[in-house]
Amino acid sequence: MSTDASTDLTYCRVLLKLSGEALLGTDREFGIDEQVLRTYAKEVKKAVELGAEIAIVIGGGNIFRGVQNAMKGMTRAHADYMGMLATMINGMALQDALEQVGLQTRLQSSIKMEEIAEPFIRRRAIRHLEKGRVVIFGAGTGNPYFTTDTAAALRGLEIDADVILKGTRVDGVFTADPEKNDDAQRFRAIHGKEVIRRGLKVMDMTAFTLCQESSMSILVFNMGISGNLRRVLKGESVGTRVHWNDSESIAEHADA
Ligand code: UDP
């Protein structure tokens, strides 16, 4: 269900992927920077006020990487379950931050933890979105050997999102690492196959393949810039749109 406001939007229902590492802010090595959380909450609020339906998958790298380093040699699957629990901690923190700015939220978990989150139920998640609630999907896919990028692709497809939004700390996908190379150019749009051919990093291959199979676009943008999420939803030229459309140009630079 779209509200009147949402009819002007390019993307009405989105799956927003936020990395756990972005929650570190600028000077932490692990944990959650409250300022980043508050900023994200305000950005999401602006997006909901536009009439967009927002579902969020959040990573766990800010909590999990530190633990992982301290426990080298742990069985992979066991460590991965710990990683999924880390995403729940972030999900709960984000849920609280969103509610503090006046949004209605639901946290759904891929691993049962009924006291703190609903189980993931696709149709229920869609109903929440239709009612204007922000839905956070925690615990990744619920399976080891996957990432939260894959969870974002999977849940995005399941809720029939218009696009996967990858909110990062950089402005999009570049020809080279912009932090190391002054000549690096941002792509405004690029075909998914060209991303693979150039070996650019957008999402891990499992996530990327899922998107390819369903022609799901991915839009990479800087979540740290105020108003960017709104701009993306309105279809303004922000970040990089990765598409699977053979009739569009293979790669288009931002300044072209
Ligand atoms: N994880 C997993 N299955 C999933 C999602 C996540 O096993 O479906 C584990 C995996 O160990 C991963 C960790 O949780 O390294 C944290 O997720 P991720 O690395 O995707 O977080 P981000 O890098 O986005 O902060």
Side-chain angles (χ1 to χ4, degrees):
M1 187 190 70
S2 306
T3 62
D4 287 345
S6 71
T7 47
D8 297 335
L9 296 177
T10 301
Y11 305 114
C12 296
R13 178 179 294 167
V14 298
L15 188 299
L16 174 64
K17 161 74 208 298
L18 298 173
S19 80
E21 261 143 25
L23 295 186
L24 292 173
T26 44
D27 40 35
R28 279 172 180 270
E29 281 182 27
F30 64 92
I32 301 172
D33 183 309
E34 271 178 52
Q35 192 52 46
V36 176
L37 263 190
R38 263 198 296 269
T39 309
Y40 282 4
K42 285 185 198 150
E43 290 301 298
V44 173
K45 185 172 188 190
K46 288 182 210 160
V48 172
E49 284 168 353
L50 279 183
E53 295 178 4
I54 316 273
I56 303 176
V57 165
I58 187 146
N62 55 320
I63 296 167
F64 183 58
R65 289 295 178 248
V67 177
Q68 208 178 22
N69 289 342
M71 303 186 113
K72 288 209 172 81
M74 186 184 279
T75 309
R76 165 77 192 266
H78 193 82
D80 280 348
Y81 279 110
M82 290 172 68
M84 288 185 261
L85 295 184
T87 73
M88 282 302 289
I89 293 177
N90 285 337
M92 289 179 74
L94 182 64
Q95 179 175 39
D96 188 71
L98 293 171
E99 297 213 328
Q100 286 199 23
V101 296
L103 290 169
Q104 287 205 33
T105 67
R106 291 292 185 274
L107 175 61
Q108 292 202 342
S109 172
S110 304
I111 295 175
K112 269 194 208 157
M113 28 187 117
E114 285 158 20
E115 281 76 7
I116 52 174
E118 292 180 359
F120 169 69
I121 299 173
R122 188 183 77 89
R123 294 172 67 110
R124 188 186 271 191
I126 292 172
R127 197 76 193 102
H128 289 321
L129 292 170
E130 287 171 346
K131 287 182 177 170
R133 297 170 183 151
V134 177
V135 180
I136 304 167
F137 296 122
T141 63
N143 298 291
Y145 299 97
F146 289 98
T147 63
T148 48
D149 274 359
T150 303
L154 180 64
R155 297 295 182 236
L157 290 167
E158 287 188 87
I159 63 164
D160 198 20
D162 299 323
V163 67
I164 309 281
L165 301 181
K166 189 159 169 163
T168 66
R169 290 187 281 190
V170 292
D171 291 335
V173 183
F174 288 76
T175 47
D177 184 345
E179 282 168 12
K180 293 181 192 150
N181 191 328
D182 288 343
D183 299 331
Q185 281 184 297
R186 174 169 68 89
F187 294 103
R188 190 201 309 271
I190 183 167
H191 197 292
K193 286 183 185 159
E194 185 65 5
V195 169
I196 299 170
R197 196 187 68 77
R198 291 179 183 240
L200 301 170
K201 288 197 182 75
V202 173
M203 281 184 157
D204 64 76
M205 279 314 289
T206 312
F208 213 61
T209 306
L210 267 177
C211 290
Q212 179 176 20
E213 280 171 359
S214 300
S215 300
M216 171 66 82
S217 304
I218 306 157
L219 207 148
V220 184
F221 73 105
N222 191 336
M223 183 70 190
I225 296 179
S226 175
N228 252 6
L229 180 58
R230 270 176 86 114
R231 286 184 206 108
V232 164
L233 295 170
K234 288 177 169 174
E236 292 177 26
S237 176
V238 172
T240 301
R241 184 173 52 86
V242 179
H243 64 84
W244 304 97
N245 188 351
D246 291 335
S247 56
E248 269 188 61
S249 67
I250 288 285
E252 203 183 299
H253 292 292
D255 52 7

